[in-house]
């Protein structure tokens, strides 16, 4: 049975960055570390570009999970920052859920480490609570492809949509004419090949 196309709406979406912590990042093996960090920062840049409410959370950061990526703290100095004392599922933390509900948004764009726990548990809980969930697959990471695929299947079966940060950005933007330079800069800053494309386009249009 075909499902209706539920697309991201920049006026109804919030971003949840869950447990992108130094210790947990060292566990990510299903994607190249440099590519993974780039994807996380690309999603963060997209959140800022579209002015989406963004919530940061960490799990047991004084323990082995470690501190949040410093870049995320710098990018969102005024965002809700929920340092969970112990809850593995961030949805079990009252302050985290309150921060989400305070945004007034019904679409949640979620990414984190590790995929089957920090992302999966929040995604499943959010769906149960009535939110539309979009999981950013390439800004979430885990031990290996097997655990990643199992997590993806579980979330999809519950109704989550799997996306990439580039897909998120394009679906939110809808129309190039909304801001050609802005979207081009966002993509170029995180996709080297796209920078080549935009450089070529800029050179061609400059000669007209």
């Amino acid at each position: 049975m075909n499902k209706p196309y539920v697309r991201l709406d920049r006026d109804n979406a919030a971003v949840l960055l869950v447990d992108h912590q130094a210790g947990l990042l060292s566990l990510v093996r299903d994607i190249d570390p440099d590519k993974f960090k780039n994807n996380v920062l690309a999603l963060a840049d997209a959140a800022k570009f579209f002015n989406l409410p963004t919530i940061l959370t960490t799990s047991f950061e004084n323990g082995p999970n470690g501190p949040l990526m410093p870049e995320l703290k710098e990018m969102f100095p005024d965002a809700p920052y929920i340092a969970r004392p112990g809850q593995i599922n961030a949805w079990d933390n009252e302050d985290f859920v309150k921060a989400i509900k305070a945004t007034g948004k019904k679409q949640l764009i979620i990414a984190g480490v590790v995929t089957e726990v920090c992302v999966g548990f929040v995604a499943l809980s959010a769906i149960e609570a009535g939110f539309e969930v979009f999981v950013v697959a390439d800004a979430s990471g885990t031990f290996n492809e097997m655990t990643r695929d199992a997590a993806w299947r579980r979330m999809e079966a519950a109704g989550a949509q799997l996306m990439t940060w580039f897909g998120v950005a394009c679906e939110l933007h809808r129309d190039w004419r909304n801001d050609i330079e802005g979207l081009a800069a966002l993509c170029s800053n995180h996709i080297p090949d796209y920078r080549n494309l935009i450089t070529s386009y800029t050179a061609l249009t400059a000669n007209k």
Side-chain angles (χ1 to χ4, degrees):
M1 181 179 178
N2 291 333
K3 295 182 179 180
Y5 175 23
V6 177
R7 69 175 70 187
L8 282 168
D9 178 356
R10 62 191 298 174
D11 296 322
N12 196 31
V15 175
L16 311 182
L17 298 177
V18 185
D19 302 354
H20 290 100
Q21 298 167 246
L24 294 175
L25 287 170
S26 68
L27 302 176
V28 175
R29 291 290 180 270
D30 62 322
I31 185 171
D32 176 83
D34 290 336
K35 289 181 180 178
F36 181 61
K37 183 177 181 179
N38 173 71
N39 294 342
V40 174
L41 296 180
L43 176 62
D45 277 342
K48 288 186 72 69
F49 177 67
F50 293 106
N51 198 29
L52 303 182
T54 300
I55 297 170
L56 310 174
T57 186
T58 58
S59 170
F60 197 39
E61 64 179 45
N62 294 325
N65 292 349
L68 185 72
M69 288 173 58
E71 293 92 340
L72 296 180
K73 277 189 175 181
E74 292 169 7
M75 292 177 69
F76 302 100
D78 300 320
Y81 180 88
I82 314 299
R84 309 190 312 280
Q87 298 98 339
I88 293 174
N89 181 352
W91 206 269
D92 291 338
N93 183 282
E94 185 177 347
D95 292 334
F96 180 69
V97 176
K98 281 183 177 179
I100 293 170
K101 291 182 178 178
T103 68
K105 312 302 182 182
K106 293 301 292 180
Q107 295 184 333
L108 301 180
I109 301 168
I110 306 174
V113 183
V114 293
T115 307
E116 69 270 28
V117 176
C118 306
V119 178
F121 294 172
V122 170
L124 295 170
S125 298
I127 291 168
E128 185 180 35
F131 291 86
E132 294 174 350
V133 169
F134 302 79
V135 172
V136 188
D138 58 354
S140 303
T142 187
F143 307 106
N144 53 55
E145 293 180 359
M146 181 177 70
T147 54
R148 177 198 67 197
D149 292 350
W152 286 354
R153 288 196 296 270
R154 187 183 189 197
M155 289 186 282
E156 280 188 315
Q161 293 193 48
L162 296 181
M163 299 187 69
T164 64
W165 74 261
F166 183 66
V168 167
C170 290
E171 191 159 88
L172 288 168
H173 201 62
R174 299 287 177 91
D175 190 319
W176 268 107
R177 293 167 295 181
N178 289 330
D179 184 348
I180 296 173
E181 292 78 13
L183 184 62
L186 172 65
C187 296
S188 296
N189 287 341
H190 295 282
I191 306 175
D193 290 341
Y194 211 93
R195 181 177 294 278
N196 295 337
L197 183 153
I198 294 300
T199 298
S200 174
Y201 166 77
T202 302
L204 287 172
T205 54
N207 293 329
K208 289 184 178 180

